[in-house]
Amino acid sequence: MTVSVYLLDDHEIVRRGLRELIETTEDLVVVGESGLAKEAVRRVPALRPDVAIFDARLTDGSGIDACREIRSIDPSIKGLILTSFDDEQALASAILAGASGFLLKDIRGNGIIDAVRRVAAGENLLDTRDARRLLQRWTADAGADPLMRALSPQERRVLELIADGLTNRQIGRRLSLAEKTVKNYVTSVLAKLGLESRTQAAVYVTTHGAQTRRRPPI
């Protein structure tokens, strides 16, 4: 069986190297590539590759955010996050985005090929004891945050659904709100919490688990 792969990286040389590496195999094929997150979010669901490789940091955003959005549209697409930085926040963000693997760019070529084959076969490389311990520790270490008190009950509901990986359209359907209204809520939530992206918001919910998930009084 041939495994189809999509490449998202804003460095053309990196994309070219990945493509050449993948095309040396008989069972993997590159079906598309892009250097911008917004282009990948538009093209990947239509191409429906078995695996998409996302660069974590892009000129127009985050590959982790792109992974989250694409998987909210089609969860059958497996995501591999490729990054130059080995930090816990990026790893936690990758887990929350539904990625199946988190790889450093200094990995050997055969390591990438092996990872693609494994996640295509249904294996989750992030379902490890260390990854679970990381999320548990972040949750356990989190204390009360006064910023949460600044959110309205509806903003807390929106924040919780962001953490569940829902898009603005899906949140609107869940809460019976217009998509534009949801977008305004998301902007407000990020501003009040001092965050810049939906991924950061999802990590925030994880690190402040109990108090964020507690339903506010109606």
Side-chain angles (χ1 to χ4, degrees):
M1 182 186 74
T2 300
V3 174
S4 56
V5 181
Y6 190 95
L7 306 175
L8 170 59
D9 197 298
D10 55 4
H11 291 89
E12 183 181 355
I13 293 178
V14 174
R15 292 202 311 275
R16 184 182 303 170
L18 287 171
R19 175 182 281 275
E20 291 177 354
L21 173 67
I22 290 170
E23 290 181 344
T24 62
T25 68
E26 295 182 354
D27 59 326
L28 306 181
V29 60
V30 175
V31 294
E33 62 179 75
S34 57
L36 297 175
K38 61 183 179 182
E39 183 180 354
V41 169
R42 176 177 59 83
R43 296 185 61 200
V44 173
L47 291 170
R48 299 193 67 189
D50 297 306
V51 180
I53 299 177
F54 302 92
D55 184 8
R57 301 188 180 185
L58 302 163
T59 55
D60 69 331
S62 164
I64 297 175
D65 284 336
C67 177
R68 172 187 294 278
E69 189 165 352
I70 289 168
R71 282 185 47 78
S72 73
I73 298 170
D74 188 345
S76 70
I77 298 172
K78 310 299 183 183
L80 280 174
I81 307 299
L82 196 59
T83 178
S84 301
F85 305 95
D86 185 12
D87 66 89
E88 290 186 345
Q89 180 173 346
L91 173 56
S93 299
I95 296 171
L96 292 165
S100 298
F102 183 83
L103 308 175
L104 295 179
K105 286 189 175 180
D106 60 2
I107 189 173
R108 293 179 178 273
N110 58 358
I112 294 178
I113 296 299
D114 179 62
V116 170
R117 288 171 174 157
R118 289 168 66 187
V119 300
E123 186 174 348
N124 187 342
L125 307 184
L126 291 178
D127 186 20
T128 65
R129 182 179 302 174
D130 289 341
R132 290 193 296 271
R133 186 186 299 124
L134 168 64
L135 289 179
Q136 291 169 357
R137 176 167 62 78
W138 278 35
T139 302
D141 290 346
D145 188 342
L147 291 177
M148 281 299 300
R149 292 195 291 270
L151 299 183
S152 69
Q154 189 74 304
E155 287 171 338
R156 292 191 189 188
R157 295 186 187 98
V158 170
L159 175 60
E160 182 175 332
L161 294 175
I162 290 173
D164 288 339
L166 272 65
T167 63
N168 287 355
R169 179 173 299 178
Q170 292 169 328
I171 292 174
R173 290 173 180 168
R174 183 74 60 87
L175 300 180
S176 298
L177 298 171
E179 188 172 351
K180 184 177 181 181
T181 301
V182 174
K183 182 177 180 180
N184 291 338
Y185 273 122
V186 172
T187 300
S188 178
V189 167
L190 295 180
K192 288 183 178 181
L193 297 180
L195 305 175
E196 297 179 355
S197 71
R198 299 172 75 95
T199 294
Q200 289 180 351
V203 172
Y204 181 92
V205 171
T206 302
T207 59
H208 298 73
Q211 67 165 2
T212 304
R213 292 288 183 178
R214 188 183 301 123
R215 294 291 185 181
I218 298 176

